[in-house]
């Protein structure tokens, strides 16, 4: 509010604190350095220039400003638009880095879902037994796969059951 940092930088402080992998942290640091802000400022500047040309032509049609034809202005605007589109695409990547790629381990009871989770975590996080229906609660844990946080979700095996507890799980 005091103009010390803008929204992109404020957001990156939070991202930095919550970063789950080194790569996620690096992205946050870059954003804190103002990478995103510079991109957005540049785009805004280019849109303003197009707007200024349009307004000059409306307000002072008698002045011959540098020949900015509709075609040229349109091309310029479309270039900005495509850059905005590109930026929006990277927003998805950013979200994956920030929140992790939600990955459910799904399958019939007793096929080794919890064992797979434990193996990837290299930790005995989930209870493993030879009794089908061991896992009942959803278990979530993050693993780092080449810098991308994978949010692994171990689930209860899918089967028809008369077991009161399992039937209530969704
Ligand atoms: N032979 C063999 N057994 C395995 C393997 N992975 C897991 N098991 C065994 O299979 C049984 C079930 O493993 P879990 O990891 O509990 O299976 P789950 O899919 O989580 O089972 P529910 O939670 O009951 O749905 C256990 O006795 C494991 O030791 C494997 O790769 N090979
Ligand atoms: Mg299990």
């Amino acid at each position: 509010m005091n103009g010390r940092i803008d929204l992109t930088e404020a957001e990156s402080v939070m991202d930095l604190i919550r970063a789950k992998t080194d790569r996620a942290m690096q992205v946050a640091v870059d954003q804190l350095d103002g990478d995103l802000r510079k991109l957005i400022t540049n785009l805004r500047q280019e849109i303003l220039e197009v707007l200024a040309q349009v307004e000059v032509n409306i307000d002072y049609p008698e002045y011959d400003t540098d020949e900015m034809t509709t075609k040229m202005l349109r091309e310029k605007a479309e270039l900005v638009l495509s850059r905005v589109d590109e930026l929006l695409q990277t927003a998805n990547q950013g979200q994956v880095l920030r929140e992790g790629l939600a990955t459910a381990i799904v399958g019939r009871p007793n096929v080794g879902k919890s064992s797979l989770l434990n193996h990837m975590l290299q930790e005995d996080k989930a209870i493993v037994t030879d009794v089908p229906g061991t896992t009942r609660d959803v278990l979530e844990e993050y693993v780092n796969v080449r810098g991308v946080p994978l949010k692994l979700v171990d689930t209860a095996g899918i089967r028809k059951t008369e077991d009161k507890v399992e039937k209530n799980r969704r």
Side-chain angles (χ1 to χ4, degrees), residues 16-69:
L16 190 57
I17 293 168
R18 291 191 176 156
K20 293 176 183 67
T21 65
D22 286 353
R23 207 169 123 201
M25 188 187 74
Q26 191 53 52
V27 171
V29 169
D30 291 346
Q31 187 167 324
L32 191 56
D33 276 346
D35 281 16
L36 184 59
R37 186 199 57 220
K38 281 176 214 148
L39 258 171
I40 291 171
T41 312
N42 286 343
L43 287 174
R44 181 170 189 275
Q45 192 55 40
E46 287 188 38
I47 296 168
L48 278 178
E49 278 164 24
V50 173
L51 201 62
Q53 290 290 344
V54 171
E55 289 191 359
V56 145
N57 285 330
I58 291 169
D59 292 345
Y60 306 102
E62 66 277 21
Y63 287 107
D64 253 342
T65 47
D66 5 319
E67 271 303 306
M68 265 294 183
T69 62

Side-chain angles (χ1 to χ4, degrees), residues 108-115 126-129 131 133-137 154-157:
R108 291 190 306 276
N110 226 24
V111 290
K113 299 182 297 298
S114 301
S115 304
I127 298 173
V128 168
T129 71
V131 183
T134 303
T135 305
R136 292 186 168 183
D137 290 309
D154 186 22
T155 61

Side-chain angles (χ1 to χ4, degrees), residues 5-15 32:
I5 55 173
D6 71 359
L7 185 62
T8 66
E9 289 158 318
E11 277 180 357
S12 58
V13 173
M14 204 59 200
D15 289 349
L32 191 56

